Amino acid sequence: MAAAKILTLACFRNEGSRTDLSARPHYPSMPKYPKGVSTKEKEKIEGSESKALFSVIGMTCSACAGSVEKAIKRLSGIREAVVDVLNNRVQVIFYPSFVNEEKIRETIEDVGFEAALIQDEISEGSNQVCRVRIKGMTCTTCANSVETSLLGVQGVRKAQVALATEEAEIHYDPNLVSYNELLKAVDDSGFEAVLISSGEDISKVQLKVNGISLDDSWETVQCSLEALPGVQTVDIDQILQKISLSYKPDMTGPRNFIEVIESIGLGHFKAMIYPEERGRDFHKREQVEEYYRSFLWSLIFTTPVFLTSMVFMYIPGVKHVFDTKIVKMLTVGELVRWVLATPVQFIIGWRFYYGSYKALRHGSANMDVLIALGTNAAYFYSVYIVLRAATSKTFEGTDFFETSSMLICFVLLGKYLEVLAKGKTSAAIAKLMDLAPETATLLTVDTDGNVINEKDIDGRLIQKNDVLKVIPGAKVACDGFVIWGQTYVNESMITGESRPVPKRKGDTVIGGTVNQNGVLHIKATRVGSASALSQIVRLVESAQMAKAPVQKLADRISKFFVPLVIILSISTWLAWFLAGKFNSYPKSWIPSSMDSFQLALQFGISVMVIACPCALGLATPTAVMVGTGIGATQGVLIKGGQALETAHKVNCIVFDKTGTLTEGKPVVVSTRILTQMVLQEFYELVAAAEINSEHPLAKAVVEYAKKFGEDEENHIWPEAKDFVAITGHGVKAIIRNKEILVGNKSLMLDQGIVIPIEAEELLAEAEDMAQTGILVSIGGTMAGVIAISDPLKPSARDVISILKSMNIKSIVVTGDNKGTANSIAKQVGIETVIAEAKPEQKAEKVKELQAEGYIVAMVGDGINDSPALVAADVGMAIGAGTDIAIEAADIVLMKSNLEDVITAIDLSRKTFSRIRWNYIWALGYNVLGIPIAAGALFPSLRFRLPPWIAGAAMAASSVSVVCWSLLLKNYKRPKKLDTLEVREIRVE
């Protein structure tokens, strides 16, 4: 029903006027309910909605699509039907209580087309989304390996693995595969998988219970909880004293569970929400601490290794001690370095061996392979030197223990700094999650609405339909609506809207927003994962999982990067070794402390460890993470890297009119009565007829009519008999024994009503002023003309002007009549106007523009314009408010402010610029670093990179890419928009 409600709201915004035959929404397929039937009763009658997808053969044009759509919508119980001519498909959302798939299929065939139900894609219930945290990934190769493994599992429809967040989002069919099998697939690919959510545990809570010691008591508690209405599963862990419950939030909640548990123990049992760290934050902190400890231990062992090989050799007395021979040519210094380097290589550096094994087992190679090969080459060559020295009286050689241990030490330092910086890239999500208040004031209210009691409770214990008190300065605990009080609420933290929003009885409030000056009593409607805040967090998390197209470059490079580096490393060693063997360079080039073989080995190791696949892998996702997070704080929700990348190339924007360029809230601006009648009596009759209509123009008339009554909120209108809504024309009813007609010119002509010249002139005048003229007939005589206007948004003209300065073309495509559309376009400065366009025609116009070479963004309300939003390169849903679950849009603009279109494009340009620089740095680093490490500058400048410095440079490259992305946190929207906001405040 939530989806049906959103659709109804969208129809309220239908752009057509009473002078446009396609204007008024009509629901011939939906059941008619008598007055007084509640929403719950309607929901019970209709039941849950279903989705069906049909393949339709024979459609060739929009006319075919229109005939199929009309035929389906004539059926009872159809909520929506969308026809895709290009792919020969029809998607239908319907209520099974009224119609089934076979009936829909037969209806399509009756129109003259061949139809078949596509079984695999009809059920939303057969698709769940599982989120998994993956430990141990180090580069893009790891992420690709996990993704390939998951996609190979039967039942997995889509898998996205994000290196930056170390998480995977998997779309799967629970009938074919379980989430445990998905976790096993990740484990089999060589990485540790931890379940974040399975898609099944939307309403789940874990309780900590103290005071229970007997098994019988646990059994009693379990039986009592299972007996509660709405409880689905109860799992008890006696060791941890934890109870996990899944339940239906409409029927019960955590407070009921705690009351039941404590009542069983007669006060001896105490229950509370299980204290758990927030998943992602805890994992990040754990990872940071782990790398910090590893680096610290490696530093403790590596420092003396470095001192004995690089510093003490220059101090005469100390040098003598470490040069003392123990066995034959084996010195104290060599033995000390061997002893200290071994735990660094095999204990602290074990992670690199394990990572290499996991990667190589699946036929891929990652950064761990490069580090393991490089450090092993240095370590085992050094062991060979030590053993030769211990068994020979004449052998002299130089060990490389400092190379292997310092290399591991610097890599761990780099990884520590990297995870530290990566943690900050998701700061926006953490900030959003922290908006939910920890406590709330729960009110106990009697049947008359009087407050009996109030108490503070844990914010996680709030249940649907609770009545909560919000004092000035406090955060709203959950989504709901005001039942008492009035105030101003700061919603900037959710929507980005800087101005406080007035709230009074009946207005909705969003959890996490701040009450400013008055006391409110609110009724909870959406709690936990159903709240707007949770939806925003999930949307941003999903966006950060999605890969931008530009990342495909890194994915392609990563497949060959490590093997290529290994080949280059071996080639470098071999080239320098053979050059030394055949005296191709002077002996003076070789440092006194080593021979030609050791020099070649150092060059080879340096090449191996300076190459950095991590920087390439992090270039895009870290920038996308920060960009989408910053967008969320600005009220701009960007659904992934693709939308972010495409938006920066947009050079043409198609605007919907109603609710986009205009406020979307029609208001009565003038009334002309053509008979001898009092204005109050006139509106009494008109409103009595229009109160039964759900058209936005009808609502505007009713709201205006309330001003003439004594009680605006609870005005009682005269009874309307024989009410009929005439699609695209208006309404007809008998009120006080008089026939009342309210509608457009066509309605009056069809009903035989004579339209005087004065009324014709008033209609023409209204149209010239971008107003909608409504004719009213009472008792067969033209009684008056009502002019309704949808006000232009204050910033519309300036926004179009700014877009022109950005070389972006603007077009209006609307379903409204030509006169109104041209008038609005002229006011805002748009030259190209397409009026009286149906939804499919809007999509066709978008495709025409794309064929002309434009990168097109469509800005609409997200529902009526869904075909065009899908067809556009970037779909922007404006004015979505808290209803952010709009599938068609790529970018959701939380506020109704038109200037956020500019913010979205500007943010995408800044983010993509950062991605571009990240790639320039990452690729440039490897292109320049590898030749230098290979000794390209050694013949001319005698400059060479020791392996430990090459390793430090490799670690620094990853950190620099992440830090470069983090600079996006300083993003400020264009200054021109700040002046627009100030101007809007003055206007108001």
Side-chain angles (χ1 to χ4, degrees), residues 406-476:
M406 289 177 72
L407 185 54
I408 289 173
C409 185
F410 276 109
V411 169
L412 289 173
L413 173 61
K415 294 300 290 182
Y416 165 68
L417 295 173
E418 184 184 314
V419 295
L420 203 63
K422 276 164 64 180
K424 293 178 181 179
T425 61
S426 58
I429 287 184
K431 198 181 293 182
L432 282 170
M433 294 173 75
D434 289 339
L435 289 177
E438 294 183 1
T439 61
T441 303
L442 177 69
L443 300 179
T444 306
V445 183
D446 62 19
T447 52
D448 297 324
N450 299 315
V451 177
I452 301 171
N453 183 35
E454 66 176 64
K455 65 175 180 179
D456 290 337
I457 62 169
D458 189 314
R460 293 169 293 181
L461 295 177
I462 298 171
Q463 297 176 190
K464 194 174 180 182
N465 297 321
D466 279 347
V467 177
L468 306 169
K469 178 182 176 182
V470 188
I471 61 173
K475 289 181 179 178
V476 177

Side-chain angles (χ1 to χ4, degrees), residues 220-233:
T220 305
V221 167
Q222 183 167 355
C223 292
S224 300
L225 290 172
E226 287 174 343
L228 285 175
V231 173
Q232 294 174 310
T233 60

Side-chain angles (χ1 to χ4, degrees), residues 17-18 20-27 32 690 692-693 695 722-733 739-744 746-748 750-751:
S17 67
R18 294 292 176 94
D20 179 8
L21 298 183
S22 64
R24 288 175 70 96
H26 181 48
Y27 305 100
K32 301 291 188 297
E690 293 281 47
N692 297 291
S693 172
H695 195 281
D722 302 328
F723 173 82
V724 180
I726 303 166
T727 311
H729 295 278
V731 298
K732 177 182 177 182
E739 185 182 65
I740 310 296
L741 295 171
V742 185
N744 57 22
S746 299
L747 174 66
M748 300 303 161
D750 289 346
Q751 298 295 320

Side-chain angles (χ1 to χ4, degrees), residues 174-488:
N175 299 320
L176 299 176
V177 64
S178 69
Y179 63 82
N180 286 320
E181 290 175 277
L182 299 177
L183 296 179
K184 187 177 183 299
V186 176
D187 289 335
D188 289 345
S189 66
F191 302 91
E192 185 182 346
V194 179
L195 184 69
I196 300 173
S197 66
S198 66
E200 300 171 353
D201 53 354
I202 293 173
S203 299
K204 195 169 185 178
V205 69
Q206 293 181 330
L207 302 176
K208 171 82 171 176
V209 184
N210 295 319
I212 302 180
S213 55
L214 301 174
D215 290 345
D216 291 344
S217 298
W218 282 111
E219 288 176 11
T220 305
V221 167
Q222 183 167 355
C223 292
S224 300
L225 290 172
E226 287 174 343
L228 285 175
V231 173
Q232 294 174 310
T233 60
V234 180
D235 295 318
I236 292 178
D237 187 331
Q238 294 187 25
I239 298 172
L240 296 175
Q241 294 186 311
K242 180 168 74 173
I243 301 178
S244 301
L245 302 101
S246 60
Y247 61 95
K248 296 179 181 178
D250 289 341
M251 300 177 69
T252 188
R255 279 206 320 280
N256 301 76
F257 309 147
I258 290 173
E259 288 171 9
V260 167
I261 294 168
E262 293 184 348
S263 65
I264 293 170
L266 300 174
H268 296 293
F269 300 165
K270 294 293 179 186
M272 67 189 78
I273 296 290
Y274 198 84
E276 282 189 293
E277 292 270 10
R278 201 168 261 155
R280 175 184 280 184
D281 294 346
F282 178 69
H283 169 62
K284 290 290 182 189
R285 284 200 295 272
E286 190 181 53
Q287 201 176 34
V288 168
E289 289 171 7
E290 185 183 340
Y291 274 114
Y292 178 71
R293 283 195 302 270
S294 297
F295 165 66
L296 212 58
W297 277 109
S298 68
L299 188 65
I300 290 170
F301 284 97
T302 300
T303 302
V305 173
F306 171 75
L307 292 174
T308 57
S309 61
M310 301 281 191
V311 178
F312 293 162
M313 59 185 293
Y314 297 108
I315 304 174
V318 179
K319 181 181 185 300
H320 176 72
V321 172
F322 283 99
D323 283 347
T324 304
K325 293 178 176 56
I326 303 172
V327 179
K328 295 185 178 179
M329 298 300 290
L330 177 64
T331 64
V332 172
E334 288 172 334
L335 184 62
V336 168
R337 287 192 290 275
W338 187 16
V339 170
L340 292 173
T342 300
V344 176
Q345 182 69 33
F346 297 108
I347 299 175
I348 299 170
W350 171 251
R351 67 174 66 246
F352 303 116
Y353 285 100
Y354 184 59
S356 302
Y357 164 73
K358 289 187 297 185
L360 294 172
R361 195 179 71 174
H362 290 87
S364 61
N366 58 11
M367 186 195 76
D368 289 337
V369 173
L370 296 178
I371 295 170
L373 284 173
T375 56
N376 276 335
Y379 178 82
F380 285 109
Y381 174 76
S382 301
V383 170
Y384 163 76
I385 293 295
V386 168
L387 294 177
R388 278 289 306 274
T391 55
S392 172
K393 294 181 179 180
T394 57
F395 177 79
E396 289 185 9
T398 305
D399 63 83
F400 287 166
F401 283 122
E402 82 285 349
T403 295
S404 65
S405 56
M406 289 177 72
L407 185 54
I408 289 173
C409 185
F410 276 109
V411 169
L412 289 173
L413 173 61
K415 294 300 290 182
Y416 165 68
L417 295 173
E418 184 184 314
V419 295
L420 203 63
K422 276 164 64 180
K424 293 178 181 179
T425 61
S426 58
I429 287 184
K431 198 181 293 182
L432 282 170
M433 294 173 75
D434 289 339
L435 289 177
E438 294 183 1
T439 61
T441 303
L442 177 69
L443 300 179
T444 306
V445 183
D446 62 19
T447 52
D448 297 324
N450 299 315
V451 177
I452 301 171
N453 183 35
E454 66 176 64
K455 65 175 180 179
D456 290 337
I457 62 169
D458 189 314
R460 293 169 293 181
L461 295 177
I462 298 171
Q463 297 176 190
K464 194 174 180 182
N465 297 321
D466 279 347
V467 177
L468 306 169
K469 178 182 176 182
V470 188
I471 61 173
K475 289 181 179 178
V476 177
C478 66
D479 293 2
F481 63 89
V482 179
I483 59 174
W484 179 87
Q486 58 183 27
T487 186
Y488 280 86

